[in-house]
Amino acid sequence: MRPLLGLLGVLVVLGTLSSVVRTLVIPRPSRSSFTRVVSGALYIPFQAVADRCRSVERKDKVLAPAAPLSLLLTLVLWLAAFMLGYALLEAAVSDLDAKAAIGEAGSSLFTLGFLSSHRSALTAVDFCAAATGPIVIALQIGYLPSLYAAYASREAEVTLLQSRAGSPPWGPEILARYAQAELLDSLQGLFGNWERWAAQVNESHTTYPVLILFRSARSSRNWLVSLLAVLDAGALQLAFNPSSPQTQVRMALRAGFVCLRDLAEVRGIGYNADPSPEDPLDLSYEDFLAGVARMRQQGFPMERTPEQAWPDFRGWRVNYEALAYLLAHHIDAVPAAWSGPRRTPSVMITPTTPQNRRPAAH
């Protein structure tokens, strides 16, 4: 039995070490089955409770702690797995029973030392365990600032978009508000910012996939819905005004749907990598006309009619619509306009129309 215990102990220690390195050390997308299972298992009860909530605010409040708690649980289970693995190794190289082996492994792993042995075989295992515990805890401590810095960077641009697109954001509302405020000349800057934002989110959220489940500070804000709104605004701008500057808008659209594809791969969500511009949309033409009416109401200039613009808009949206809808369903994002269905029937929330008030001239 001792060789079998030793082999099992080595497998547990090396498997847990692999999970730690993949999650905390390697600066690139590297999926860990351990962390994925822990996060998924913890999320199930939270999602089950959220599915029974009637209001968006209450559902968001239920789901908000799930992702942060998964980080804490992952650290605890990593240490527990290491303790089990080293206990198996302790038992394999000695005549210790299960209780004594776990006690000595825990004593070494947490550097307490109250059960350390003078036997050379056990001492070697104790040294390895004593080095493992502080290293794993230190890596986790260093991991959290990077994680929350990426979260803060993501949310800053999402919060800025609230005044430009309402809450929750909506593509036509972005163009309508820019037209209302006579800021159409600054649209290129908006798309330039969101091109960089999409690249940063792609990098951080594929490296640290748990960030995908981190929710915004307010239930009406969501990073995915914000990205979808910016992409829709870009597609509408290109479809209605083909003579306007296009480079920055096209780059933002490209960065946006590449970001969505990479995040879908990290979450194991399948998608069509080469959609046809002629593929149908889930967004209906009637909903498209409702968005166009909102833009026209605020004086957004249009070189084309809705009938002329629809094929081009559809050709752009087909690149990201299905992915955005799947991810929005997956993370149970706020049910915003043009963002697809959710896990439970929800009332679509549209931005409140702002009053066009200006200071009186003196």
Side-chain angles (χ1 to χ4, degrees), residues 29-90:
S30 184
R31 300 176 66 181
S32 167
S33 298
F34 184 95
T35 54
R36 189 169 66 254
V37 169
V38 170
S39 177
L42 180 66
Y43 210 74
I44 289 174
F46 283 91
Q47 188 66 68
V49 174
D51 287 344
R52 289 163 173 76
C53 296
R54 295 180 180 271
S55 70
V56 172
E57 293 78 11
R58 189 164 184 82
K59 178 179 291 191
D60 183 77
K61 188 175 294 186
V62 169
L63 291 174
L69 282 176
S70 71
L71 297 177
L72 178 61
L73 182 61
T74 299
L75 172 61
V76 172
L77 291 180
W78 273 336
L79 294 174
F82 274 123
M83 188 165 69
L84 174 62
Y86 283 120
L88 291 170
L89 289 172
E90 301 272 10

Short mmCIF file of all heavy atoms in Angstrom, two decimals, residues 29-90:
data_model
loop_
_atom_site.label_atom_id
_atom_site.label_comp_id
_atom_site.label_asym_id
_atom_site.label_seq_id
_atom_site.Cartn_x
_atom_site.Cartn_y
_atom_site.Cartn_z
N PRO A 29 -3.62 32.98 -21.13
CA PRO A 29 -4.75 32.08 -20.88
C PRO A 29 -4.28 30.64 -20.69
O PRO A 29 -3.63 30.07 -21.57
CB PRO A 29 -5.60 32.22 -22.15
CG PRO A 29 -5.23 33.56 -22.71
CD PRO A 29 -3.78 33.76 -22.37
N SER A 30 -4.55 30.09 -19.54
CA SER A 30 -4.14 28.72 -19.22
C SER A 30 -5.19 28.13 -18.29
O SER A 30 -5.19 28.39 -17.09
CB SER A 30 -2.76 28.72 -18.56
OG SER A 30 -2.31 27.41 -18.32
N ARG A 31 -6.10 27.37 -18.84
CA ARG A 31 -7.25 26.90 -18.08
C ARG A 31 -6.85 25.85 -17.05
O ARG A 31 -6.08 24.93 -17.32
CB ARG A 31 -8.30 26.32 -19.02
CG ARG A 31 -8.81 27.31 -20.05
CD ARG A 31 -9.78 26.68 -21.03
NE ARG A 31 -11.01 26.26 -20.38
CZ ARG A 31 -12.00 25.67 -21.02
NH1 ARG A 31 -11.90 25.40 -22.30
NH2 ARG A 31 -13.10 25.32 -20.37
N SER A 32 -7.36 26.00 -15.85
CA SER A 32 -7.15 25.05 -14.76
C SER A 32 -8.48 24.38 -14.45
O SER A 32 -9.45 25.05 -14.09
CB SER A 32 -6.61 25.76 -13.51
OG SER A 32 -6.69 24.91 -12.39
N SER A 33 -8.52 23.06 -14.57
CA SER A 33 -9.76 22.33 -14.29
C SER A 33 -10.16 22.49 -12.83
O SER A 33 -11.35 22.57 -12.50
CB SER A 33 -9.58 20.84 -14.63
OG SER A 33 -9.31 20.67 -16.00
N PHE A 34 -9.18 22.56 -11.94
CA PHE A 34 -9.46 22.69 -10.50
C PHE A 34 -10.22 23.97 -10.21
O PHE A 34 -11.29 23.96 -9.60
CB PHE A 34 -8.14 22.67 -9.72
CG PHE A 34 -8.29 22.68 -8.23
CD1 PHE A 34 -8.28 21.49 -7.51
CD2 PHE A 34 -8.44 23.87 -7.53
CE1 PHE A 34 -8.42 21.49 -6.13
CE2 PHE A 34 -8.59 23.88 -6.15
CZ PHE A 34 -8.58 22.68 -5.46
N THR A 35 -9.69 25.11 -10.67
CA THR A 35 -10.34 26.39 -10.39
C THR A 35 -11.67 26.50 -11.12
O THR A 35 -12.61 27.11 -10.61
CB THR A 35 -9.42 27.56 -10.79
OG1 THR A 35 -9.02 27.40 -12.16
CG2 THR A 35 -8.18 27.59 -9.93
N ARG A 36 -11.75 25.92 -12.33
CA ARG A 36 -13.00 25.98 -13.08
C ARG A 36 -14.10 25.22 -12.36
O ARG A 36 -15.24 25.67 -12.27
CB ARG A 36 -12.80 25.44 -14.49
CG ARG A 36 -13.98 25.66 -15.41
CD ARG A 36 -13.65 25.35 -16.85
NE ARG A 36 -13.36 23.95 -17.08
CZ ARG A 36 -12.16 23.45 -17.29
NH1 ARG A 36 -11.11 24.24 -17.32
NH2 ARG A 36 -11.99 22.15 -17.50
N VAL A 37 -13.76 24.04 -11.83
CA VAL A 37 -14.75 23.23 -11.11
C VAL A 37 -15.17 23.92 -9.81
O VAL A 37 -16.36 23.96 -9.47
CB VAL A 37 -14.18 21.83 -10.82
CG1 VAL A 37 -15.08 21.07 -9.85
CG2 VAL A 37 -14.03 21.04 -12.12
N VAL A 38 -14.20 24.49 -9.09
CA VAL A 38 -14.52 25.17 -7.83
C VAL A 38 -15.45 26.35 -8.09
O VAL A 38 -16.47 26.53 -7.42
CB VAL A 38 -13.22 25.65 -7.13
CG1 VAL A 38 -13.56 26.57 -5.96
CG2 VAL A 38 -12.42 24.45 -6.64
N SER A 39 -15.10 27.17 -9.08
CA SER A 39 -15.91 28.35 -9.39
C SER A 39 -17.31 27.94 -9.85
O SER A 39 -18.31 28.52 -9.42
CB SER A 39 -15.23 29.19 -10.48
OG SER A 39 -16.02 30.29 -10.84
N GLY A 40 -17.37 26.92 -10.71
CA GLY A 40 -18.67 26.47 -11.21
C GLY A 40 -19.54 25.89 -10.12
O GLY A 40 -20.75 26.17 -10.05
N ALA A 41 -18.94 25.08 -9.23
CA ALA A 41 -19.72 24.47 -8.16
C ALA A 41 -20.23 25.51 -7.17
O ALA A 41 -21.37 25.42 -6.68
CB ALA A 41 -18.85 23.43 -7.43
N LEU A 42 -19.40 26.51 -6.87
CA LEU A 42 -19.84 27.55 -5.94
C LEU A 42 -20.94 28.41 -6.55
O LEU A 42 -21.84 28.88 -5.85
CB LEU A 42 -18.65 28.43 -5.54
CG LEU A 42 -18.96 29.57 -4.55
CD1 LEU A 42 -19.38 28.99 -3.20
CD2 LEU A 42 -17.75 30.49 -4.38
N TYR A 43 -20.87 28.62 -7.87
CA TYR A 43 -21.82 29.50 -8.54
C TYR A 43 -23.22 28.90 -8.61
O TYR A 43 -24.21 29.63 -8.67
CB TYR A 43 -21.33 29.80 -9.95
CG TYR A 43 -21.74 31.15 -10.48
CD1 TYR A 43 -21.12 32.31 -10.01
CD2 TYR A 43 -22.74 31.29 -11.43
CE1 TYR A 43 -21.49 33.56 -10.48
CE2 TYR A 43 -23.12 32.53 -11.91
CZ TYR A 43 -22.48 33.66 -11.43
OH TYR A 43 -22.86 34.89 -11.90
N ILE A 44 -23.31 27.57 -8.58
CA ILE A 44 -24.61 26.90 -8.76
C ILE A 44 -25.64 27.33 -7.71
O ILE A 44 -26.76 27.71 -8.06
CB ILE A 44 -24.41 25.37 -8.76
CG1 ILE A 44 -23.72 24.95 -10.07
CG2 ILE A 44 -25.76 24.65 -8.64
CD1 ILE A 44 -23.34 23.47 -10.10
N PRO A 45 -25.34 27.26 -6.40
CA PRO A 45 -26.36 27.68 -5.43
C PRO A 45 -26.72 29.16 -5.52
O PRO A 45 -27.88 29.54 -5.33
CB PRO A 45 -25.73 27.34 -4.07
CG PRO A 45 -24.28 27.23 -4.32
CD PRO A 45 -24.14 26.73 -5.72
N PHE A 46 -25.73 30.02 -5.80
CA PHE A 46 -26.03 31.44 -5.95
C PHE A 46 -26.96 31.67 -7.14
O PHE A 46 -27.92 32.44 -7.06
CB PHE A 46 -24.73 32.24 -6.15
CG PHE A 46 -23.94 32.45 -4.89
CD1 PHE A 46 -22.97 31.55 -4.50
CD2 PHE A 46 -24.18 33.55 -4.08
CE1 PHE A 46 -22.24 31.74 -3.33
CE2 PHE A 46 -23.46 33.76 -2.91
CZ PHE A 46 -22.49 32.85 -2.53
N GLN A 47 -26.68 30.98 -8.26
CA GLN A 47 -27.52 31.14 -9.44
C GLN A 47 -28.91 30.59 -9.20
O GLN A 47 -29.91 31.15 -9.68
CB GLN A 47 -26.87 30.45 -10.64
CG GLN A 47 -27.57 30.71 -11.95
CD GLN A 47 -27.47 32.16 -12.38
OE1 GLN A 47 -26.40 32.64 -12.72
NE2 GLN A 47 -28.60 32.87 -12.38
N ALA A 48 -29.01 29.48 -8.45
CA ALA A 48 -30.32 28.90 -8.15
C ALA A 48 -31.18 29.87 -7.35
O ALA A 48 -32.39 30.00 -7.60
CB ALA A 48 -30.14 27.59 -7.38
N VAL A 49 -30.58 30.57 -6.40
CA VAL A 49 -31.32 31.57 -5.62
C VAL A 49 -31.67 32.76 -6.51
O VAL A 49 -32.79 33.29 -6.47
CB VAL A 49 -30.51 32.02 -4.40
CG1 VAL A 49 -31.22 33.16 -3.67
CG2 VAL A 49 -30.28 30.85 -3.45
N ALA A 50 -30.71 33.20 -7.33
CA ALA A 50 -30.95 34.36 -8.20
C ALA A 50 -32.07 34.10 -9.19
O ALA A 50 -32.84 35.01 -9.53
CB ALA A 50 -29.67 34.73 -8.95
N ASP A 51 -32.19 32.86 -9.65
CA ASP A 51 -33.24 32.53 -10.61
C ASP A 51 -34.64 32.67 -10.02
O ASP A 51 -35.62 32.75 -10.76
CB ASP A 51 -33.06 31.09 -11.12
CG ASP A 51 -31.88 30.98 -12.08
OD1 ASP A 51 -31.41 32.01 -12.57
OD2 ASP A 51 -31.43 29.84 -12.32
N ARG A 52 -34.71 32.70 -8.71
CA ARG A 52 -36.00 32.85 -8.04
C ARG A 52 -36.30 34.30 -7.65
O ARG A 52 -37.36 34.57 -7.07
CB ARG A 52 -36.07 31.95 -6.81
CG ARG A 52 -36.15 30.47 -7.18
CD ARG A 52 -35.82 29.56 -6.00
NE ARG A 52 -36.08 28.17 -6.32
CZ ARG A 52 -35.30 27.42 -7.08
NH1 ARG A 52 -34.21 27.94 -7.63
NH2 ARG A 52 -35.60 26.15 -7.33
N CYS A 53 -35.37 35.19 -7.95
CA CYS A 53 -35.57 36.61 -7.63
C CYS A 53 -36.35 37.29 -8.75
O CYS A 53 -36.06 37.09 -9.92
CB CYS A 53 -34.22 37.30 -7.43
SG CYS A 53 -33.27 36.67 -6.03
N ARG A 54 -37.28 38.11 -8.37
CA ARG A 54 -38.11 38.80 -9.36
C ARG A 54 -37.46 40.07 -9.89
O ARG A 54 -37.60 40.40 -11.06
CB ARG A 54 -39.48 39.14 -8.74
CG ARG A 54 -40.31 37.91 -8.38
CD ARG A 54 -41.64 38.31 -7.78
NE ARG A 54 -42.45 37.14 -7.44
CZ ARG A 54 -43.29 36.56 -8.28
NH1 ARG A 54 -43.44 37.04 -9.50
NH2 ARG A 54 -43.99 35.50 -7.91
N SER A 55 -36.78 40.81 -9.05
CA SER A 55 -36.22 42.09 -9.47
C SER A 55 -34.76 41.94 -9.90
O SER A 55 -34.03 41.07 -9.41
CB SER A 55 -36.31 43.12 -8.34
OG SER A 55 -35.41 42.79 -7.30
N VAL A 56 -34.35 42.81 -10.83
CA VAL A 56 -32.97 42.82 -11.30
C VAL A 56 -32.02 43.17 -10.16
O VAL A 56 -30.94 42.60 -10.03
CB VAL A 56 -32.82 43.82 -12.46
CG1 VAL A 56 -31.36 43.99 -12.85
CG2 VAL A 56 -33.64 43.36 -13.66
N GLU A 57 -32.42 44.12 -9.32
CA GLU A 57 -31.57 44.56 -8.21
C GLU A 57 -31.30 43.43 -7.23
O GLU A 57 -30.16 43.24 -6.79
CB GLU A 57 -32.21 45.75 -7.48
CG GLU A 57 -32.30 47.02 -8.30
CD GLU A 57 -33.45 46.99 -9.30
OE1 GLU A 57 -34.30 46.06 -9.21
OE2 GLU A 57 -33.51 47.88 -10.15
N ARG A 58 -32.33 42.68 -6.90
CA ARG A 58 -32.15 41.59 -5.95
C ARG A 58 -31.31 40.45 -6.54
O ARG A 58 -30.47 39.86 -5.87
CB ARG A 58 -33.52 41.06 -5.51
CG ARG A 58 -33.44 40.07 -4.35
CD ARG A 58 -34.79 39.88 -3.69
NE ARG A 58 -34.70 39.00 -2.53
CZ ARG A 58 -34.30 39.38 -1.33
NH1 ARG A 58 -33.96 40.64 -1.13
NH2 ARG A 58 -34.24 38.53 -0.33
N LYS A 59 -31.54 40.17 -7.81
CA LYS A 59 -30.75 39.14 -8.48
C LYS A 59 -29.27 39.53 -8.49
O LYS A 59 -28.39 38.69 -8.23
CB LYS A 59 -31.26 38.93 -9.90
CG LYS A 59 -30.48 37.91 -10.70
CD LYS A 59 -31.05 37.73 -12.10
CE LYS A 59 -32.40 37.04 -12.04
NZ LYS A 59 -32.85 36.63 -13.40
N ASP A 60 -28.99 40.79 -8.79
CA ASP A 60 -27.61 41.25 -8.82
C ASP A 60 -26.98 41.16 -7.44
O ASP A 60 -25.81 40.80 -7.31
CB ASP A 60 -27.58 42.70 -9.33
CG ASP A 60 -26.17 43.24 -9.45
OD1 ASP A 60 -25.49 42.87 -10.44
OD2 ASP A 60 -25.75 44.02 -8.59
N LYS A 61 -27.75 41.49 -6.41
CA LYS A 61 -27.23 41.43 -5.04
C LYS A 61 -26.89 39.99 -4.64
O LYS A 61 -25.91 39.76 -3.92
CB LYS A 61 -28.26 42.02 -4.08
CG LYS A 61 -27.76 42.21 -2.66
CD LYS A 61 -28.79 42.92 -1.80
CE LYS A 61 -29.00 44.34 -2.26
NZ LYS A 61 -29.89 45.11 -1.36
N VAL A 62 -27.67 39.04 -5.11
CA VAL A 62 -27.41 37.63 -4.79
C VAL A 62 -26.15 37.14 -5.50
O VAL A 62 -25.32 36.43 -4.92
CB VAL A 62 -28.63 36.78 -5.18
CG1 VAL A 62 -28.27 35.29 -5.11
CG2 VAL A 62 -29.81 37.07 -4.26
N LEU A 63 -25.98 37.51 -6.77
CA LEU A 63 -24.86 37.00 -7.57
C LEU A 63 -23.54 37.71 -7.29
O LEU A 63 -22.47 37.16 -7.56
CB LEU A 63 -25.19 37.12 -9.05
CG LEU A 63 -26.30 36.21 -9.58
CD1 LEU A 63 -26.61 36.54 -11.03
CD2 LEU A 63 -25.91 34.74 -9.44
N ALA A 64 -23.57 38.92 -6.76
CA ALA A 64 -22.35 39.72 -6.59
C ALA A 64 -21.27 39.03 -5.75
O ALA A 64 -20.08 39.10 -6.10
CB ALA A 64 -22.70 41.08 -5.98
N PRO A 65 -21.60 38.33 -4.64
CA PRO A 65 -20.52 37.73 -3.84
C PRO A 65 -19.95 36.45 -4.42
O PRO A 65 -18.92 35.97 -3.93
CB PRO A 65 -21.21 37.43 -2.49
CG PRO A 65 -22.55 38.05 -2.55
CD PRO A 65 -22.91 38.19 -3.97
N ALA A 66 -20.58 35.86 -5.42
CA ALA A 66 -20.18 34.52 -5.88
C ALA A 66 -18.74 34.48 -6.38
O ALA A 66 -17.95 33.63 -5.96
CB ALA A 66 -21.14 34.04 -6.96
N ALA A 67 -18.37 35.39 -7.27
CA ALA A 67 -17.02 35.37 -7.83
C ALA A 67 -15.94 35.67 -6.78
O ALA A 67 -14.94 34.95 -6.70
CB ALA A 67 -16.92 36.34 -9.00
N PRO A 68 -16.09 36.72 -5.94
CA PRO A 68 -15.07 36.93 -4.90
C PRO A 68 -14.94 35.76 -3.94
O PRO A 68 -13.82 35.41 -3.53
CB PRO A 68 -15.57 38.19 -4.16
CG PRO A 68 -16.40 38.91 -5.17
CD PRO A 68 -17.06 37.84 -5.97
N LEU A 69 -16.06 35.15 -3.57
CA LEU A 69 -15.99 34.00 -2.66
C LEU A 69 -15.27 32.82 -3.30
O LEU A 69 -14.61 32.04 -2.62
CB LEU A 69 -17.39 33.58 -2.22
CG LEU A 69 -18.05 34.44 -1.14
CD1 LEU A 69 -19.47 33.96 -0.87
CD2 LEU A 69 -17.23 34.41 0.15
N SER A 70 -15.40 32.69 -4.62
CA SER A 70 -14.71 31.58 -5.29
C SER A 70 -13.20 31.72 -5.18
O SER A 70 -12.48 30.72 -5.13
CB SER A 70 -15.14 31.49 -6.76
OG SER A 70 -14.61 32.57 -7.51
N LEU A 71 -12.70 32.97 -5.13
CA LEU A 71 -11.27 33.17 -4.94
C LEU A 71 -10.82 32.66 -3.58
O LEU A 71 -9.81 31.97 -3.45
CB LEU A 71 -10.93 34.66 -5.07
CG LEU A 71 -11.19 35.32 -6.42
CD1 LEU A 71 -10.87 36.81 -6.33
CD2 LEU A 71 -10.36 34.67 -7.50
N LEU A 72 -11.58 33.02 -2.54
CA LEU A 72 -11.25 32.58 -1.18
C LEU A 72 -11.35 31.06 -1.06
O LEU A 72 -10.47 30.41 -0.49
CB LEU A 72 -12.19 33.25 -0.19
CG LEU A 72 -12.01 32.88 1.29
CD1 LEU A 72 -10.62 33.24 1.76
CD2 LEU A 72 -13.07 33.57 2.14
N LEU A 73 -12.40 30.48 -1.62
CA LEU A 73 -12.58 29.03 -1.55
C LEU A 73 -11.47 28.31 -2.30
O LEU A 73 -11.00 27.25 -1.85
CB LEU A 73 -13.95 28.66 -2.12
CG LEU A 73 -14.30 27.17 -2.08
CD1 LEU A 73 -14.34 26.66 -0.64
CD2 LEU A 73 -15.64 26.91 -2.77
N THR A 74 -11.03 28.87 -3.43
CA THR A 74 -9.95 28.24 -4.19
C THR A 74 -8.68 28.18 -3.37
O THR A 74 -7.99 27.14 -3.34
CB THR A 74 -9.70 29.02 -5.50
OG1 THR A 74 -10.88 29.00 -6.29
CG2 THR A 74 -8.56 28.41 -6.28
N LEU A 75 -8.33 29.26 -2.66
CA LEU A 75 -7.13 29.25 -1.82
C LEU A 75 -7.25 28.19 -0.73
O LEU A 75 -6.31 27.42 -0.49
CB LEU A 75 -6.93 30.63 -1.18
CG LEU A 75 -5.82 30.73 -0.13
CD1 LEU A 75 -4.48 30.37 -0.72
CD2 LEU A 75 -5.78 32.11 0.51
N VAL A 76 -8.40 28.13 -0.07
CA VAL A 76 -8.60 27.15 1.01
C VAL A 76 -8.47 25.73 0.47
O VAL A 76 -7.80 24.87 1.08
CB VAL A 76 -9.98 27.37 1.67
CG1 VAL A 76 -10.28 26.24 2.65
CG2 VAL A 76 -10.02 28.72 2.39
N LEU A 77 -9.07 25.47 -0.68
CA LEU A 77 -9.03 24.12 -1.24
C LEU A 77 -7.65 23.77 -1.78
O LEU A 77 -7.25 22.60 -1.75
CB LEU A 77 -10.09 23.97 -2.33
CG LEU A 77 -11.54 24.00 -1.83
CD1 LEU A 77 -12.51 23.84 -2.99
CD2 LEU A 77 -11.78 22.91 -0.79
N TRP A 78 -6.92 24.75 -2.29
CA TRP A 78 -5.53 24.48 -2.68
C TRP A 78 -4.72 24.01 -1.47
O TRP A 78 -4.01 23.00 -1.55
CB TRP A 78 -4.88 25.75 -3.24
CG TRP A 78 -5.08 25.98 -4.70
CD1 TRP A 78 -5.34 25.05 -5.66
CD2 TRP A 78 -5.02 27.24 -5.37
NE1 TRP A 78 -5.45 25.65 -6.88
CE2 TRP A 78 -5.26 26.99 -6.75
CE3 TRP A 78 -4.79 28.54 -4.94
CZ2 TRP A 78 -5.27 28.01 -7.70
CZ3 TRP A 78 -4.80 29.56 -5.89
CH2 TRP A 78 -5.04 29.29 -7.26
N LEU A 79 -4.84 24.73 -0.37
CA LEU A 79 -4.09 24.34 0.83
C LEU A 79 -4.55 22.99 1.36
O LEU A 79 -3.73 22.17 1.80
CB LEU A 79 -4.25 25.42 1.91
CG LEU A 79 -3.62 26.79 1.57
CD1 LEU A 79 -3.97 27.81 2.64
CD2 LEU A 79 -2.11 26.66 1.43
N ALA A 80 -5.86 22.74 1.31
CA ALA A 80 -6.37 21.44 1.76
C ALA A 80 -5.85 20.32 0.88
O ALA A 80 -5.50 19.23 1.36
CB ALA A 80 -7.90 21.46 1.75
N ALA A 81 -5.79 20.57 -0.44
CA ALA A 81 -5.29 19.54 -1.36
C ALA A 81 -3.81 19.28 -1.12
O ALA A 81 -3.35 18.12 -1.14
CB ALA A 81 -5.53 19.97 -2.80
N PHE A 82 -3.03 20.33 -0.89
CA PHE A 82 -1.62 20.14 -0.58
C PHE A 82 -1.45 19.35 0.72
O PHE A 82 -0.59 18.46 0.82
CB PHE A 82 -0.91 21.50 -0.46
CG PHE A 82 -0.43 22.06 -1.77
CD1 PHE A 82 -0.84 23.31 -2.19
CD2 PHE A 82 0.44 21.34 -2.56
CE1 PHE A 82 -0.40 23.84 -3.39
CE2 PHE A 82 0.90 21.86 -3.77
CZ PHE A 82 0.46 23.12 -4.19
N MET A 83 -2.26 19.68 1.73
CA MET A 83 -2.15 18.96 2.99
C MET A 83 -2.48 17.48 2.81
O MET A 83 -1.79 16.61 3.37
CB MET A 83 -3.09 19.58 4.03
CG MET A 83 -2.89 19.01 5.44
SD MET A 83 -3.66 20.02 6.73
CE MET A 83 -5.39 19.76 6.36
N LEU A 84 -3.50 17.18 2.00
CA LEU A 84 -3.84 15.79 1.73
C LEU A 84 -2.70 15.09 0.99
O LEU A 84 -2.32 13.95 1.33
CB LEU A 84 -5.12 15.72 0.90
CG LEU A 84 -5.54 14.33 0.40
CD1 LEU A 84 -5.82 13.39 1.58
CD2 LEU A 84 -6.75 14.42 -0.52
N GLY A 85 -2.16 15.76 -0.04
CA GLY A 85 -1.07 15.14 -0.79
C GLY A 85 0.15 14.86 0.06
O GLY A 85 0.74 13.77 -0.01
N TYR A 86 0.54 15.85 0.89
CA TYR A 86 1.71 15.63 1.75
C TYR A 86 1.42 14.61 2.84
O TYR A 86 2.31 13.87 3.27
CB TYR A 86 2.17 16.96 2.36
CG TYR A 86 2.92 17.82 1.37
CD1 TYR A 86 2.46 19.09 1.03
CD2 TYR A 86 4.09 17.37 0.79
CE1 TYR A 86 3.14 19.89 0.12
CE2 TYR A 86 4.79 18.16 -0.12
CZ TYR A 86 4.30 19.41 -0.46
OH TYR A 86 4.99 20.18 -1.36
N ALA A 87 0.17 14.53 3.31
CA ALA A 87 -0.18 13.50 4.30
C ALA A 87 -0.03 12.11 3.68
O ALA A 87 0.45 11.18 4.36
CB ALA A 87 -1.61 13.73 4.78
N LEU A 88 -0.43 11.96 2.43
CA LEU A 88 -0.25 10.67 1.76
C LEU A 88 1.23 10.32 1.62
O LEU A 88 1.63 9.16 1.80
CB LEU A 88 -0.91 10.71 0.37
CG LEU A 88 -2.45 10.76 0.36
CD1 LEU A 88 -2.97 11.04 -1.04
CD2 LEU A 88 -3.03 9.45 0.89
N LEU A 89 2.05 11.34 1.32
CA LEU A 89 3.49 11.09 1.24
C LEU A 89 4.08 10.76 2.60
O LEU A 89 4.97 9.88 2.71
CB LEU A 89 4.18 12.32 0.65
CG LEU A 89 3.94 12.58 -0.84
CD1 LEU A 89 4.53 13.93 -1.24
CD2 LEU A 89 4.56 11.47 -1.68
N GLU A 90 3.61 11.44 3.65
CA GLU A 90 4.08 11.14 5.01
C GLU A 90 3.76 9.69 5.37
O GLU A 90 4.60 8.96 5.93
CB GLU A 90 3.40 12.08 6.02
CG GLU A 90 3.64 13.57 5.81
CD GLU A 90 4.89 14.06 6.50
OE1 GLU A 90 5.66 13.22 6.98
OE2 GLU A 90 5.09 15.29 6.56
#
